[in-house]
Amino acid sequence: MIIYEITAAVRADLTESYEKYMRETHIPDLLETGCFNGAFFTRANEKKYRIQYHAYNQEALNEYLQTHAARLREDFAKHFPAGVEVSRENWEILPSW
């Protein structure tokens, strides 16, 4: 499994609308692509968030990135043209205990 992880620093006045958009729109839309088997939406503090999407494998993540990512990122940018700084990383799951 591959974890596609997004970290977001959200301006304080946007946190409520950001959380609502992520819960009700963005995360469900991303999961509907069929490239992921689940997600975690977490918060470190009132302005820092992490979303982990669990891709079935590298091929599924590649499919998402090539086919769906541009459309979903564009929609996100329409809702939050400023005030949210996003970084992305891919993590490979190694053995777990």
Side-chain angles (χ1 to χ4, degrees):
M1 179 175 18
I2 304 293
I3 294 176
Y4 177 55
E5 181 175 282
I6 293 85
T7 302
V10 181
R11 201 172 64 209
D13 62 312
L14 297 175
T15 58
E16 186 176 324
S17 60
Y18 172 79
E19 286 186 25
K20 183 178 191 308
Y21 172 78
M22 294 302 289
R23 280 192 315 269
E24 296 178 6
T25 304
H26 192 73
I27 293 171
D29 287 350
L30 199 140
L31 293 175
E32 280 184 20
T33 67
C35 300
F36 303 92
N37 66 5
F40 287 103
F41 183 39
T42 58
R43 179 177 58 212
N45 59 51
E46 38 190 58
K47 295 187 280 184
K48 186 174 181 181
Y49 296 84
R50 180 183 339 203
I51 308 94
Q52 292 184 333
Y53 299 100
H54 299 175
Y56 292 103
N57 51 42
Q58 186 62 52
E59 292 76 23
L61 179 57
N62 292 343
E63 170 71 18
Y64 167 75
L65 293 171
Q66 294 169 4
T67 307
H68 307 285
R71 170 180 54 84
L72 292 169
R73 290 175 185 177
E74 183 178 316
D75 185 67
F76 181 88
K78 285 180 189 175
H79 286 84
F80 300 98
V84 179
E85 294 181 32
V86 175
S87 64
R88 297 172 179 88
E89 290 186 296
N90 300 334
W91 296 80
E92 178 182 359
I93 301 282
L94 299 176
S96 59
W97 294 258

